[in-house]
Amino acid sequence: MTVAEFFGGRDVIGRTYPAYHPMRELLVTDSASYSTTNQSFQVVYEANEIQWLENAKKHIERVGKPNSMKVNDLSGYNSVLGEMRAFADLLKMSEFTVSSLGTGAKGPDFLLTKKDDGAKVYVEVFAYPPRPDNEEVIDEGRKEYFRDKNG
């Protein structure tokens, strides 16, 4: 299954999303230009995280159909696609087991549990919203650490 098929197929995406919308990236399926989003989808799909993908699809459908390229129209999509890309990268970390804590929910998105000693790390994904000046360099990301009072 391809990511385009999972999200309704080329025709649905073509009719629903305007040019340059992030969901259009899902249409890139040839191996010469295989997109990060497509690659991430394949990793999550092959890890048998179908329920996570179904929840992501429902979240995208709740965002509503886009009517422009305004940031407000894109941020919901960008958030879910960013979480999918992060989830795929986390699944590649063989020293941890990865648990999803919910798609599009507030708070940490994933829990990493180290296989050898059970140490836990909560991961919150932050996806920069599309910016009109996106060709400018974005400052180095901010890292924040916190301790879970319950854990």
Side-chain angles (χ1 to χ4, degrees):
M1 170 169 295
T2 68
V3 67
E5 291 168 342
F6 186 82
F7 283 98
R10 180 181 290 267
D11 291 341
V12 170
I13 294 171
R15 285 190 316 267
T16 307
Y17 302 101
Y20 306 109
H21 192 280
M23 289 298 287
R24 285 228 182 231
E25 182 186 4
L26 300 175
L27 294 174
V28 181
T29 57
D30 63 325
S31 60
S33 59
Y34 215 59
S35 73
T36 302
T37 301
N38 276 291
Q39 291 172 353
S40 297
F41 172 84
Q42 289 301 318
V43 169
V44 175
Y45 186 80
E46 289 170 9
N48 204 29
E49 291 288 347
I50 307 305
Q51 187 59 54
W52 188 92
L53 290 168
E54 288 292 341
N55 290 339
K57 184 177 180 180
K58 288 176 187 172
H59 183 76
I60 285 174
E61 290 169 351
R62 282 194 304 267
V63 171
K65 303 302 180 213
N67 55 21
S68 71
M69 286 299 295
K70 293 180 182 173
V71 171
N72 290 341
D73 291 330
L74 300 177
S75 60
Y77 299 103
N78 197 46
S79 173
V80 174
L81 297 178
E83 285 182 23
M84 182 170 64
R85 290 187 292 266
F87 193 19
D89 288 342
L90 294 172
L91 287 168
K92 293 176 188 176
M93 298 173 63
S94 60
E95 64 271 18
F96 290 93
T97 58
V98 184
S99 303
S100 172
L101 299 176
T103 306
K106 294 201 180 270
D109 300 299
F110 302 101
L111 171 63
L112 301 177
T113 305
K114 199 164 185 187
K115 291 179 181 176
D116 63 355
D117 65 4
K120 296 180 182 203
V121 177
Y122 292 92
V123 178
E124 166 69 22
V125 177
F126 175 78
Y128 279 104
R131 298 169 29 159
D133 59 346
N134 63 0
E135 293 191 11
E136 291 182 20
V137 176
I138 297 173
D139 292 338
E140 182 178 336
R142 183 178 68 206
K143 295 179 183 177
E144 294 182 20
Y145 301 93
F146 61 92
R147 295 199 181 267
D148 184 0
K149 295 175 187 174
N150 300 322

